[in-house]
Amino acid sequence: MHVPDGFIDAPVSVAAGVFAAGAVAVSLRGARRELDERTAPLAGLVAAFIFAVQMLNFPVAAGTSGHLMGGALAAILVGPYTAVLCLSVVLLMQGIFFADGGLTALGVNITVMGVVTVVVAYGVFRLLTGVLPRTRRSATASAFVAALVSVPASAAAFTLLYWIGGTTDIPIGKVFTAMVGVHVLIGIGEAVITALTVGAVLAVRPDLVHGVQGTLTAPLKLRVDGELVDAPAPTREPEPATAHRSNREPEPATAHRSNRGFLITGLVSAFLLAGFVSFYASASPDGLERVAADQGIDEKAEEHGAADSPLADYGVGDIANARLSGGLAGVIGVSATVVVGTGVFWVVRRRREDERGGPTRSDHENA
């Protein structure tokens, strides 16, 4: 649902841009509480993974396709504030380099795809995990429902903005019915992708899933005389009295090594999805494009400001082979997104350390 230039008039686009900038500013501050030395690289990976999966349009109806928005996935994995930053990085990269989503509509896209989806999805997820049994299966099911709800909510948000500042005179009831109807179908695909990804991460590294922190921890049970009892809490060997802080410095490095395989696997998966699997994605217009063509919303659509970009439309301009061109563009996009995203999240994390006067012991223990 990348809104192009010309769908929404200038005043509403500016207002949406101001709102989006405010949301990003709030998220930069909130993300300081969510990011540590483990989750900063993970957040960069999540942004790159969302970029890759958004290239995989899947069919939802005759002549219509959809793709992952990623708000639910990012919010559950790395937290709502960091998720808004993830989506903002992805949308910025897509708009500037790939001519996907209008430049003057960037604020609209961040608001609709990056803020609404995150807020709705995370709220639904936390509500469900608060009332359902604290199991991985329940968390995965909650992720499915949260993602499913977030997509039509995003479509409804676009409809509201179009009602206020649409550039064509179309009955808003028709726009709402068409947008929400097709995005319910797209939401099913979003829910499947989100649930599979969250479930996979929960299976191997539940400690890295922000949305379940403190909810999937249960005391170990032992069977004694036929009854289950809580196991005694594990004890740690006391540190020698002469131990100094310098002796404990390797702890964060150990955390990095333990995460390295997981991060490499995720990054390789993103490269494969963007560089190879994307060639087999549906070529049909997505939900917004279909509704815009059917309802006449696109009558005043404008040419993208980055239409001359060498990576426009997810292809490398000088390469004639479509498979190679699209695959290389995808690899470039994933690489740029993970570099920019990880850089942003490391800066945010460093600001957290600066405010605290340096890394804290809790940071090392959490790692």
Side-chain angles (χ1 to χ4, degrees), residues 48 76 94 147 176 250 315 335 337 354 364:
I76 294 167
Q94 291 171 333
F176 178 83
S335 301
T337 303
D354 291 343
H364 295 337

Side-chain angles (χ1 to χ4, degrees), residues 30-259:
R32 297 176 195 173
R33 300 191 297 271
E34 297 172 345
L35 293 170
D36 56 31
E37 55 195 13
R38 293 180 312 161
T39 54
L42 176 62
L45 174 61
V46 168
F49 184 80
I50 290 173
F51 179 96
V53 180
Q54 284 195 359
M55 295 180 64
L56 308 180
N57 280 45
F58 48 84
V60 295
T64 307
S65 69
H67 61 72
L68 181 84
M69 291 190 188
L73 178 62
I76 294 167
L77 290 181
V78 294
Y81 295 108
T82 306
V84 171
L85 300 181
C86 284
L87 269 295
S88 298
V89 168
V90 171
L91 291 167
L92 186 64
M93 301 297 292
Q94 291 171 333
I96 293 177
F97 297 109
F98 296 88
D100 191 10
L103 296 179
T104 62
L106 182 61
V108 173
N109 283 314
I110 291 177
T111 299
V112 171
M113 296 179 62
V115 178
V116 172
T117 57
V118 167
V119 171
V120 172
Y122 196 70
V124 172
F125 181 80
R126 295 297 292 179
L127 175 64
L128 292 176
T129 53
V131 299
L132 293 175
R134 296 183 176 183
T135 64
R136 293 178 184 174
R137 183 174 298 179
S138 295
T140 303
S142 299
F144 181 94
V145 176
L148 175 61
V149 174
S150 70
V151 176
S154 178
F158 166 79
T159 305
L160 176 62
L161 291 178
Y162 189 80
W163 180 45
I164 299 172
T167 55
T168 56
D169 187 16
I170 307 295
I172 198 62
K174 290 184 177 181
V175 176
F176 178 83
T177 301
M179 282 294 294
V180 173
V182 71
H183 282 88
V184 167
L185 300 177
I186 295 173
I188 296 173
E190 175 108 7
V192 170
I193 295 171
T194 300
L196 289 175
T197 305
V198 170
V201 178
L202 284 173
V204 294
R205 290 300 302 269
D207 59 303
L208 294 179
V209 180
H210 180 277
V212 300
Q213 288 180 0
T215 63
L216 292 185
T217 56
L220 178 66
K221 297 289 186 178
L222 297 178
R223 187 174 295 277
V224 178
D225 296 330
E227 296 184 0
L228 289 176
V229 298
D230 291 344
T235 59
R236 298 179 60 183
E237 292 293 331
E239 296 180 355
T242 58
H244 296 287
R245 181 176 180 83
S246 60
N247 295 333
R248 296 194 300 268
E249 289 301 324
E251 290 184 20
T254 302
H256 282 304
R257 285 196 296 271
S258 65
N259 288 342

